[in-house]
Amino acid sequence: MDYSAVTSTYEPEVIVDTDTLSREDWLTYRRLGIGGSDVAAIMGISPFATIRDLYYDKVGIQPLIEEDEESNWVAKEVGHRLEDLVAEIFSKKTGLTVFPVRKMFRHPLYPFMVADVDFFIIFPDGSYGILECKTCNYNAKSKWDNDGIPINYEYQVRHYLAVMNMKKAYIACLYGNNENEFVIRSIERDMMEEEDIIAQEEYFWKEYVEKRVEPPYTGKPDLILASIRRYSGYADKSIPEIIISGLESKDLEKYLELSEEKSLLEKRKKEIEVQQRALSVPFVERLGAGCKAVLEDGINRYKITYNPTIRRTVGKDAMKKLELQHPDIFEEYTKETESRTFRIRKEAA
């Protein structure tokens, strides 16, 4: 059965049948080219990775500090397991037939472009389209407001349309636990946008990946700092003081200015908090052990809450005792993490 559009001037090539691939083998094939979820990093707008992270992945450079898989494995697994459910809800709501094709495809004209599509759609006129299935929590629903689509997902789907040579795609997202908490967005193929995406991908692949040249960091500073840490490794205090050249001291001066500004704001914040606590005293006194109250002044009605926050902590002495008396338990249930703080002290030359 031909799953490409019947009016194609080109048809995508099949790289491999993914149905029986292990995750490791699947990742190996993904490194042969740029996938849909890679495009946002190339464009510098990925919420998950920088362009440098993507480069390292494609050329096979492993991070020195591995990602903590235990911290996010549930979210990843939920998204994977619910793909079929999202497709089923989409089909029910639209009346369109959807089906999976467990193959990895490649663009015949731009072989660095690969696609591993969630589901395909059969339209009433016999043509085919793409269905990309997503899940998110309720707090992330706002990203879809006003008929919007998160830009990283839009780039992903436009990449798939280019590889598959199809004209239309849908993105479906489940953000709750019933079929009404569901978003459907359509994307029509835009050849001008596609041309720009392909140009950016081609430049990344040919100028960086093929030439083994590291791309400059772009994207969110937090992502960049996390990436530098992963690939630089843990702190080593035995390394001698490094003389830095080629960077401008004016950036350090600006950093110091911002530090002073931040200190003033934090001081003002503490002053405000003291005033707020003073104003709350008579109300807390009246509440006693109570957790909620109401005050009415004839114009407004104020609902007051004074709820407890319970935390269980283990003191340093108890931790030391546990380490000494039960080292096996201590090793099993504790985890050492490292964070680093960037500070500047200005001195006369």
Side-chain angles (χ1 to χ4, degrees):
M1 183 177 182
D2 182 6
Y3 294 120
S4 62
V6 295
T7 57
S8 295
T9 54
Y10 67 83
E11 292 186 8
E13 300 170 352
V14 175
I15 301 176
V16 66
D17 188 326
T18 60
D19 201 31
T20 58
L21 284 183
S22 66
R23 175 163 178 78
E24 290 72 21
D25 288 340
W26 177 79
L27 289 171
T28 298
Y29 277 103
R30 273 289 305 269
R31 293 187 181 101
L32 296 176
I34 299 167
S37 58
D38 297 331
V39 184
I42 294 173
M43 298 296 191
I45 53 88
S46 171
F48 309 114
T50 69
I51 190 172
R52 185 79 66 86
D53 294 317
L54 183 62
Y55 166 81
Y56 285 147
D57 178 64
K58 298 305 178 186
V59 300
I61 296 175
Q62 297 298 314
L64 296 176
I65 301 176
E66 293 290 344
E67 181 184 3
D68 183 5
E69 292 291 339
E70 291 185 2
S71 65
N72 61 2
W73 75 270
V74 173
K76 289 181 178 179
E77 195 64 23
V78 166
H80 177 69
R81 293 190 185 190
L82 290 182
E83 285 180 358
D84 289 343
L85 177 61
V86 173
E88 184 179 346
I89 297 171
F90 172 84
S91 184
K92 180 179 178 181
K93 284 182 171 291
T94 62
L96 295 170
T97 300
V98 301
F99 59 93
V101 178
R102 305 303 185 198
K103 299 180 186 299
M104 188 177 292
F105 297 91
R106 176 167 53 204
H107 199 303
L109 306 178
Y110 304 99
F112 52 83
M113 297 178 68
V114 300
D116 197 345
V117 179
D118 288 345
F119 291 88
F120 292 92
I121 305 168
I122 301 177
F123 293 115
D125 65 358
S127 64
Y128 295 94
I130 290 167
L131 173 63
E132 180 65 23
C133 299
K134 302 294 183 185
T135 57
C136 69
N137 61 46
Y138 199 86
N139 294 330
K141 176 186 176 295
S142 59
K143 296 179 179 179
W144 301 86
D145 287 349
N146 303 314
D147 295 325
I149 303 171
I151 186 64
N152 52 311
Y153 294 159
E154 181 177 342
Y155 279 134
Q156 179 180 4
V157 170
R158 292 199 181 283
H159 172 96
Y160 291 156
L161 287 171
V163 174
M164 302 309 301
N165 196 20
M166 293 180 178
K167 296 180 179 179
K168 188 169 185 176
Y170 282 93
I171 304 179
C173 179
L174 177 66
Y175 61 86
N177 60 4
N178 68 74
E179 63 179 277
N180 294 321
E181 294 174 323
F182 197 76
V183 170
I184 297 175
R185 298 285 184 263
S186 64
I187 294 181
E188 302 283 343
R189 192 172 182 181
D190 184 319
M191 301 308 290
M192 290 186 65
E193 281 212 45
E194 187 173 301
E195 183 178 358
D196 180 55
I197 290 170
I198 292 174
Q200 298 273 16
E201 291 186 29
E202 185 172 29
Y203 188 88
F204 169 77
W205 193 260
K206 292 186 175 180
E207 297 301 316
Y208 297 128
V209 177
E210 290 185 349
K211 294 182 179 180
R212 294 298 192 269
V213 174
E214 292 182 349
Y217 271 116
T218 58
K220 297 179 180 179
D222 286 348
L223 285 178
I224 294 173
L225 291 171
S227 174
I228 293 171
R229 180 174 178 273
R230 279 197 308 276
Y231 287 94
S232 297
Y234 291 107
D236 184 351
K237 290 188 175 182
S238 69
I239 296 175
E241 185 175 77
I242 297 169
I243 305 298
I244 295 177
S245 61
L247 298 177
E248 304 222 15
S249 61
K250 67 179 182 180
D251 291 332
L252 297 181
E253 290 291 340
K254 181 62 177 178
Y255 187 98
L256 290 171
E257 288 176 19
L258 291 172
S259 295
E260 180 64 25
E261 184 179 342
K262 180 183 174 184
S263 296
L264 293 172
L265 291 172
E266 288 174 345
K267 181 181 178 182
R268 179 57 184 150
K269 178 176 178 286
K270 290 178 181 177
E271 292 172 350
I272 291 171
E273 289 172 347
V274 170
Q275 293 177 33
Q276 287 180 314
R277 285 195 292 271
L279 291 168
S280 73
V281 167
F283 299 96
V284 171
E285 184 181 11
R286 294 290 293 273
L287 275 160
C291 296
K292 54 189 176 182
V294 172
L295 184 147
E296 296 180 352
D297 64 2
I299 299 174
N300 297 306
R301 186 171 189 266
Y302 301 88
K303 296 186 72 174
I304 301 166
T305 60
Y306 191 44
N307 292 322
T309 300
I310 309 297
R311 294 187 180 92
R312 294 182 66 89
T313 60
V314 180
K316 290 184 178 179
D317 291 342
M319 287 291 287
K320 191 65 179 176
K321 186 176 180 181
L322 177 65
E323 183 179 8
L324 292 172
Q325 296 183 1
H326 304 283
D328 53 338
I329 296 175
F330 180 84
E331 286 296 326
E332 183 176 357
Y333 290 101
T334 61
K335 180 173 65 174
E336 184 176 287
T337 60
E338 178 190 277
S339 62
R340 300 178 68 176
T341 303
F342 182 82
R343 288 194 178 96
I344 301 170
R345 186 177 69 238
K346 188 176 179 180
E347 301 174 342

